[in-house]
């Protein structure tokens, strides 16, 4: 397999000759693979109808191979990147030394450079064509076979990286080139190819070999399923992926019902997913299944339960003539709770082999674990969002003569962030602003935020100056930390001297606090202080940037600190940028965004922009500084005098 290729083979950049190209953009959901297959098939049909020279070599095998490749690559992008997917098919004419070929490109917008696979491979697709085993008989890989299948079908493939875009391409010759060896090829290669076919979303073989599931096929399938399902945090995606994994590998169709999370005995399960190996039949199957949800008796465990074929009864009650078929239902459980049911059908088979029913039972257990984990995450994320809304102001105040712009991005939707902000009016025609960063995140950070923000408002409205507010807030944090430590000591004593799970943590925070007073002639007087916080930066209209405060000690560490404030005027056109360390300490390898005054340089390029324009440009610069998403809360506040 080829990886990290700098340029695609036959890249048309710089070439004057036009090539037939078809392009589409697909949403990042689980319907994208089937849409991509239809798109490629339609493009090939159109080119063949135009009589293009390269299209003469089109065959049913080329179309099938292209569908399998694009299905694998789009599924990979949807499941592991989660962004919109760009699909491009390009027809390349034969040149000297190169046969005519179809090039398929699938791009996603995830910043990570990694591409999903089981492990790095040194062999290329050409090696596979010569009969080299993709999976050794003694060391079988148990998952990630999708890219191996792409490598087998394609003459060559690789990856191209651009800013904010990762493209995986595959080149498929359109002549009589055959990637599959004859029957005399090594059995190890045939075994590896068979396993790859079984794990491909669109299996190449119409017939199932149930004997395969008694050996390595079952292990590979369960490993692949565990890997895919374990990382999902949405129960509907779990249900949809489960259907894709079961159909067509183990069933001709399947349906998944999920019980309401807080429902009682009278709650009605909802039909979360329906999959059929013939996409044209999915709508009709869903209509039949929506007529009544699956309800398994309480005495039924996690094993298979035989069910009637959907729609198998005629209107007069007579049983319709149906070929041999089997329908099985399995209960989805997690932690002893009933979460729903899986219903699946096999045509042309009166009885499903025991090996397959046992495999499906193991698979459904994994579905239950994934649904349970997704629901737990959803509960945690919901609580976190509610708590975050309670800890942050519902609306920041409008300051006369000043335009403000705020950016706040918590790093994890499921955990309460440590950054907080506030802008509020005070007596005496004053407006106060706050940007803080509590140590850590989660419940402990929420406790400190829940204490600090109300205290700040109370102290500011009592008329204390900027430095005095920080002095008193520092004392309050130390007093609260002392009480927390005493409570923790009592907990340890009550536990017989054993350390308990929560014995209290240091409660300190960095804080930027200031007040603005409008001036009669325009502009505002700004008084502020920074306690262990990234220093605010003042941007003049001519592009000059300078720090607007002096560094001082974090709050909540020492009780003998006297905080001092700085006072200056924000003239019309001046802008003040305040950020948390999620901006300044944004990392790309060993480098940080603010190394070499990086934030000052970025702000200097914002001269002439509005407050919103400055905030947006700084935010984009922070995001583009590294390929991976930010791993810390990000907050920035821009105040611009009018």
């Amino acid at each position: 397999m080829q990886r990290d290729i700098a340029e695609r083979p036959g890249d048309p950049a710089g070439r004057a000759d036009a090539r037939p190209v078809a392009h589409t953009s697909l949403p990042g959901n689980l319907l994208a693979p089937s849409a991509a297959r239809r798109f490629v098939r339609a493009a090939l049909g159109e080119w063949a109808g135009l009589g293009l020279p390269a299209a003469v070599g089109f065959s049913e095998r080329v179309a099938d191979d292209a569908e399998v490749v694009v299905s694998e690559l789009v599924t990979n992008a949807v499941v592991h990147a989660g962004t919109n997917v760009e699909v491009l098919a390009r027809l390349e004419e034969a040149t000297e030394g190169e046969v005519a070929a179809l090039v398929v490109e699938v791009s996603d917008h995830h910043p990570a450079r990694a591409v999903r696979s089981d492990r790095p491979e040194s062999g290329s697709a050409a090696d596979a064509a010569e009969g080299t085993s993709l999976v050794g008989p003694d060391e079988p890989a148990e998952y990630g076979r999708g890219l191996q299948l792409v490598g087998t079908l394609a003459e060559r493939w690789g990856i191209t990286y651009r800013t904010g875009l990762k493209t995986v391409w595959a080149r498929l010759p359109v002549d009589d080139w055959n990637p599959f060896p004859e029957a005399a090829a090594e059995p190890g290669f045939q075994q590896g190819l068979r396993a790859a076919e079984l794990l491909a979303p669109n299996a190449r073989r119409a017939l199932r070999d149930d004997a395969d599931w008694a050996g390595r096929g079952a292990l590979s399938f369960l490993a692949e399923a565990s890997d895919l399902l374990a990382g999902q945090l949405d129960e509907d995606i779990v249900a949809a992926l489960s259907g894709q994994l079961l159909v067509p590998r183990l069933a001709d169709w399947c349906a998944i019902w999920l019980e309401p999370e807080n429902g009682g005995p009278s709650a009605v399960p909802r039909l979360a997913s329906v999959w059929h190996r013939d996409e044209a039949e999915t709508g009709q199957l869903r209509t039949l299944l929506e007529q009544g949800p699956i309800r398994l008796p309480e005495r039924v465990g996690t094993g298979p339960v035989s069910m009637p074929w959907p729609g198998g009864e005629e209107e007069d009650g007579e049983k319709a003539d149906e070929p041999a078929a089997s329908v099985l239902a399995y209960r989805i459980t997690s932690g002893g709770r009933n979460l729903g049911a899986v219903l699946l059908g096999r045509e042309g088979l009166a009885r499903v082999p025991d090996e397959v029913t046992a495999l499906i039972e193991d698979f459904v257990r994994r579905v239950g674990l994934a649904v349970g984990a997704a629901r737990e995450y959803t509960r945690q994320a919901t609580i976190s969002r509610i708590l975050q809304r309670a800890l942050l102001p519902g609306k920041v105040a409008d300051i006369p003569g000043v335009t403000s712009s705020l950016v706040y991005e918590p790093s994890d939707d499921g955990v309460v962030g440590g950054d907080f902000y506030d802008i509020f009016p005070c007596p005496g025609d004053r407006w106060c602003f706050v940007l803080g960063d509590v140590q850590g995140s989660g419940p402990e950070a929420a406790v400190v935020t829940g204490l600090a923000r109300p205290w700040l408002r109370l102290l500011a409205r009592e008329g204390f100056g900027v430095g005095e507010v920080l002095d008193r807030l520092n004392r309050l944090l130390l007093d609260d930390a002392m009480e927390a430590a005493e409570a923790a000591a009592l907990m340890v004593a009550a536990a017989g001297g054993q350390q308990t799970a929560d014995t209290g943590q240091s409660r300190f925070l960095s804080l930027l606090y200031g007040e603005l007073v409008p001036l009669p002639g325009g502009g505002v007087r700004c008084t502020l202080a920074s306690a262990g916080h990234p220093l605010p930066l003042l941007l003049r209209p001519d592009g000059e940037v300078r720090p607007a405060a002096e560094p001082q000690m974090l709050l909540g560490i020492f009780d003998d600190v006297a905080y001092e404030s700085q006072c200056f005027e924000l003239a019309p056109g001046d802008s003040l940028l305040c950020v948390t360390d999620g901006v300044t300490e944004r990392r790309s390898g060993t480098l940080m965004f603010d190394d070499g005054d990086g934030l000052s340089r970025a702000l200097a390029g914002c001269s002439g922009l509005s407050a919103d324009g400055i905030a947006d440009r700084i935010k984009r610069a922070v995001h583009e500084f590294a390929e991976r998403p930010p791993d810390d809360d990000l907050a920035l506040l821009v105040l611009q005098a009018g």
Side-chain angles (χ1 to χ4, degrees):
M1 298 184 186
Q2 300 180 9
R3 295 178 181 273
D4 297 324
I5 306 300
E7 297 182 1
R8 295 186 299 275
D11 197 324
R15 295 283 301 273
D17 54 321
R19 298 172 180 175
V21 174
H23 173 268
T24 188
S25 180
L26 301 174
N29 60 41
L30 294 172
L31 298 178
S34 61
R37 293 195 296 271
R38 291 193 297 269
F39 163 75
V40 169
R41 175 74 71 166
L44 297 184
E46 180 181 352
W47 293 338
L50 293 174
L52 300 175
V56 174
F58 282 174
S59 64
E60 193 64 24
R61 170 179 282 279
V62 172
D64 288 345
D65 289 351
E67 283 195 45
V68 172
V69 168
V70 77
S71 182
E72 290 290 350
L73 297 183
V74 171
T75 300
N76 208 21
V78 169
V79 172
H80 300 297
T83 69
N84 287 350
V85 180
E86 312 295 328
V87 180
L88 182 145
R90 185 176 71 250
L91 187 60
E92 297 185 347
E93 303 288 351
T95 60
E96 184 177 354
E98 289 280 5
V99 299
L102 171 68
V103 177
V104 176
E105 300 181 359
V106 174
S107 304
D108 65 69
H109 300 273
H110 195 280
R113 294 174 69 90
V115 174
R116 187 102 185 140
S117 185
D118 54 326
R119 61 173 180 261
E121 297 282 352
S122 59
S124 66
D127 296 330
E130 296 172 2
T132 304
S133 174
L134 288 177
V135 181
D138 298 325
E139 297 182 4
E142 301 299 347
Y143 53 89
R145 297 182 186 274
L147 291 180
Q148 289 186 353
L149 184 58
V150 172
T152 300
L153 295 176
E155 178 190 43
R156 56 182 180 266
W157 71 278
I159 309 161
T160 301
Y161 299 107
R162 302 179 182 87
T163 302
L165 197 71
K166 177 171 78 267
T167 300
V168 185
W169 55 264
R171 190 176 193 275
L172 292 83
V174 297
D175 62 0
D176 293 331
W177 180 78
N178 183 0
F180 295 98
E182 300 301 326
E186 297 180 15
F189 175 79
Q190 295 286 7
Q191 180 182 7
L193 178 60
R194 182 168 63 253
E197 291 172 357
L198 289 170
L199 292 174
N202 185 9
R204 292 179 58 83
R205 297 184 307 164
L207 299 177
R208 298 185 184 89
D209 186 357
D210 287 328
D212 283 350
W213 297 112
R216 287 178 176 172
L219 296 176
S220 299
F221 174 75
L222 291 175
E224 179 85 358
S226 297
D227 190 52
L228 285 176
L229 298 178
Q232 306 308 320
L233 301 177
D234 186 298
E235 63 180 61
D236 288 323
I237 293 181
V238 171
L241 279 175
S242 301
Q244 282 186 303
L245 288 164
L246 285 172
V247 178
R249 298 177 182 94
L250 295 170
D252 294 304
W253 57 265
C254 81
I256 297 176
W257 279 266
L258 294 177
E259 296 281 349
E261 184 170 5
N262 298 319
S266 60
V268 178
R270 64 182 180 89
L271 187 57
S273 176
V274 177
W275 284 89
H276 198 290
R277 73 177 193 176
D278 183 354
E279 295 176 10
E281 300 292 332
T282 301
Q284 182 180 358
L285 177 62
R286 177 179 286 274
T287 300
L288 288 173
L289 296 175
E290 284 176 342
Q291 296 176 4
I294 289 294
R295 288 190 178 277
L296 297 178
E298 291 297 328
R299 65 179 183 277
V300 173
T302 59
V305 178
S306 295
M307 303 290 289
W309 190 270
E313 296 288 336
E314 300 290 357
E315 292 183 0
D316 59 1
E318 296 288 334
K319 184 171 180 60
D321 292 333
E322 291 284 350
S326 298
V327 179
L328 298 177
Y330 293 81
R331 187 188 300 279
I332 303 174
T333 63
S334 178
R337 296 181 58 194
N338 179 32
L339 302 181
V342 175
L343 185 72
L344 54 89
R346 288 279 296 265
E347 298 177 0
L349 194 65
R351 181 178 181 276
V352 180
D354 292 341
E355 295 84 356
V356 176
T357 60
L359 174 62
I360 297 174
E361 184 177 350
D362 283 343
F363 171 76
V364 173
R365 289 195 186 99
R366 286 159 171 79
V367 174
L369 292 174
V371 171
R375 290 189 170 184
E376 182 64 31
Y377 176 84
T378 300
R379 286 192 292 270
Q380 178 181 332
T382 301
I383 293 171
S384 177
R385 284 192 292 269
I386 294 172
L387 185 57
Q388 195 85 63
R389 285 197 298 267
L391 295 175
L392 297 175
K395 183 180 183 299
V396 296
D398 293 326
I399 306 173
V402 175
T403 304
S404 63
S405 183
L406 179 71
V407 173
Y408 178 74
E409 296 180 351
S411 62
D412 190 338
D413 185 51
V415 178
V416 179
D419 291 2
F420 67 96
Y421 59 87
D422 203 357
I423 301 177
F424 55 92
C426 284
D429 198 25
R430 296 179 298 130
W431 277 263
C432 298
F433 62 93
V434 178
L435 197 60
D437 185 2
V438 180
Q439 173 213 17
S441 60
E444 189 69 24
V447 169
V448 180
T449 302
L451 294 173
R453 198 170 71 85
W455 282 343
L456 277 166
R457 285 196 170 210
L458 177 62
L459 292 170
R461 287 170 175 169
E462 287 295 318
F464 292 107
V466 171
E468 294 176 302
V469 168
L470 295 189
D471 288 341
R472 283 162 172 76
L473 179 60
N474 182 56
R475 183 67 261 171
L476 288 168
L477 287 172
L478 288 169
D479 290 345
D480 185 74
M482 182 65 70
E483 293 175 2
E486 292 174 352
L490 292 174
M491 292 172 62
V492 172
Q498 298 295 319
Q499 190 81 357
T500 58
D502 181 12
T503 56
Q505 299 180 12
S506 298
R507 298 183 175 184
F508 57 85
L509 74 152
S510 69
L511 189 74
L512 180 66
Y513 170 67
E515 64 178 30
L516 302 173
V517 177
L519 298 175
V524 294
R525 184 177 70 250
C526 179
T527 306
L528 54 76
S530 175
H533 203 79
L535 298 181
L537 298 177
L538 179 62
L539 172 65
R540 299 293 189 186
D542 60 1
E544 177 192 356
V545 176
R546 66 174 179 84
E550 297 294 331
Q552 300 181 81
M553 182 63 63
L554 286 165
L555 295 170
I557 298 181
F558 301 113
D559 60 358
D560 57 350
V561 179
Y563 290 93
E564 298 180 354
S565 61
Q566 287 77 44
C567 186
F568 58 92
E569 288 189 8
L570 272 179
D574 288 350
S575 301
L576 185 69
L577 173 64
C578 311
V579 302
T580 59
D581 60 9
V583 173
T584 56
E585 296 181 6
R586 165 82 157 126
R587 287 191 172 274
S588 177
T590 59
L591 300 177
M592 290 194 297
F593 182 75
D594 200 33
D595 285 348
D597 294 326
L599 181 59
S600 295
R601 293 198 308 272
L603 182 59
C606 298
S607 178
L609 296 179
S610 64
D612 288 336
I614 294 173
D616 182 66
R617 180 169 294 186
I618 297 299
K619 181 185 73 171
R620 283 192 287 110
V622 172
H623 278 275
E624 293 171 0
F625 183 70
E627 291 183 344
R628 296 181 60 85
D631 56 3
D632 192 8
D633 301 334
L634 186 153
L636 63 90
L637 172 66
V638 178
L639 300 171
Q640 188 175 75

